[in-house]
Amino acid sequence: MKKNVIASAALALLASLSPLTAQAAGHYVPGVEGAQAASVPPAGFYYIGYLVNYNINSLRAPGTNNDIPGHNTGTVTALANRFVWMTGHKVLGADYGVEAIVPLMRTSLTFNTPGISDSRSGVGDIYVGPLVLGWHGEQWDAVAAAGVWLDSASTSNPASPGNGYKSTMLTGGLTYYFDPAKTISGAALMRFERNGRNDAGFRHGNQVTVEWSLAKAFGPVQAGVVGYSQWQTSNDSGVGASLNKSSRHALGGELVYPVAPGLALKGAFYKELSAEAGSSPLAKGSLVRLSIVKAF
């Protein structure tokens, strides 16, 4: 892909990162959601700040799960600012809302083999989501959403924050509580991205991301196991495209702590256990995420 190191939007996102060394094709960054990822809050306005640091340990060679020889490392730090408004209206029996994600990013790349040494800061591609639907049962929550990642950020340098193309993202997920007191939960959240063409006419294949969690509450504190997987589901097209498809899988842990009513902190660490590159080199590394949820 053109140059996507870690990030997107996700959303939720939610955020895009550097498009040079593919996180798999697309904008959405896996690992930004954790426990109860498919649970939509009640009516109101919410801010979720995702502070993410992705440490690149190596680059996978195109079409393989083997590292490219040499010193190829980097870091991407992003603050994805997500704004959610649950309107209080109902659509198809679900709570209806809208959302937007504005990522701020700092990318530093030192890839000796391809001869890249670059550091940039800036605003990444913005996500606009006009449809968020949340359903609630006695021991379950479900979500469906749709939106677009805009081609709004710079792509002029290897570490620039933009991807250079638009993506349509569809979301679906389920949170299930194993006990009536809702102290034990499992969740799975799926994001599907259909990527557009960049200025050179290259189009990255579509991508599916699944984030999952299994969590237990210990009084006000919650701890759990989290993970994510990404798969490229269709072939790239354009000059330089191949039939190879990228994928990655990670495992980690999360801790959730309520600081005050309407304010919670979440921290998580993910280690990527495997990664296979598609048409372009693919970064492999580890991710640390600290997020804050504030209800207004």
Side-chain angles (χ1 to χ4, degrees):
M1 69 192 278
K2 186 183 174 187
K3 38 180 181 33
N4 188 354
V5 183
I6 159 187
S8 311
L11 311 287
L13 181 65
L14 319 166
S16 72
L17 292 181
S18 175
L20 172 66
T21 61
Q23 163 93 3
H27 285 84
Y28 186 72
V29 185
V32 297
E33 303 289 356
Q36 287 95 53
S39 299
V40 174
F45 183 79
Y46 300 85
Y47 168 77
I48 305 101
Y50 304 92
L51 181 60
V52 178
N53 180 265
Y54 183 74
N55 185 49
I56 302 170
N57 298 322
S58 62
L59 287 179
R60 298 301 206 196
T64 75
N65 57 5
N66 300 319
D67 291 342
I68 295 175
H71 181 77
N72 301 299
T73 61
T75 59
V76 182
T77 301
L79 174 61
N81 301 284
R82 183 183 181 189
F83 306 93
V84 181
W85 177 36
M86 299 306 298
T87 64
H89 298 292
K90 294 284 188 178
V91 175
L92 300 176
D95 297 332
Y96 169 71
V98 296
E99 64 179 340
I101 301 172
V102 181
L104 306 176
M105 298 161 45
R106 172 67 178 175
T107 303
S108 296
L109 306 175
T110 304
F111 298 153
N112 289 347
T113 300
I116 294 172
S117 179
D118 191 27
S119 296
R120 304 284 166 177
S121 299
V123 179
D125 292 335
I126 293 172
Y127 176 79
V128 179
L131 181 67
V132 178
L133 299 176
W135 292 267
H136 307 281
E138 290 187 4
Q139 288 184 222
W140 60 269
D141 298 312
V143 65
V148 176
W149 289 98
L150 304 176
D151 178 14
S152 57
S154 170
T155 60
S156 56
N157 296 281
S160 293
N163 280 36
Y165 55 88
K166 295 182 179 68
S167 296
T168 300
M169 186 167 75
L170 305 178
T171 298
L174 177 70
T175 297
Y176 182 76
Y177 299 94
F178 294 92
D179 60 325
K182 297 185 176 182
T183 63
I184 304 174
S185 66
L189 187 71
M190 184 276 292
R191 311 276 195 182
F192 171 80
E193 293 175 89
R194 186 185 187 282
N195 302 307
R197 294 187 181 276
N198 62 22
D199 292 340
F202 188 90
R203 192 178 86 82
H204 303 290
N206 300 332
Q207 174 176 287
V208 168
T209 301
V210 176
E211 297 176 89
W212 60 268
S213 67
L214 183 61
K216 174 74 168 69
F218 301 91
V221 179
Q222 186 174 227
V225 178
V226 292
Y228 62 75
S229 293
Q230 280 188 322
W231 299 273
Q232 183 180 338
T233 59
S234 64
N235 294 332
D236 297 337
S237 62
V239 177
S242 73
L243 298 180
N244 300 313
K245 295 183 177 71
S246 60
S247 64
R248 65 171 69 243
H249 307 278
L251 183 66
E254 181 182 55
L255 187 67
V256 181
Y257 181 75
V259 179
L263 181 65
L265 292 177
K266 299 182 178 183
F269 172 80
Y270 295 80
K271 175 67 175 178
E272 290 181 341
L273 305 178
S274 66
E276 184 166 352
S279 297
S280 304
L282 181 71
K284 179 177 181 290
S286 58
L287 183 146
V288 176
R289 183 251 303 160
L290 178 64
S291 54
I292 182 172
V293 181
K294 173 61 179 175
F296 294 92

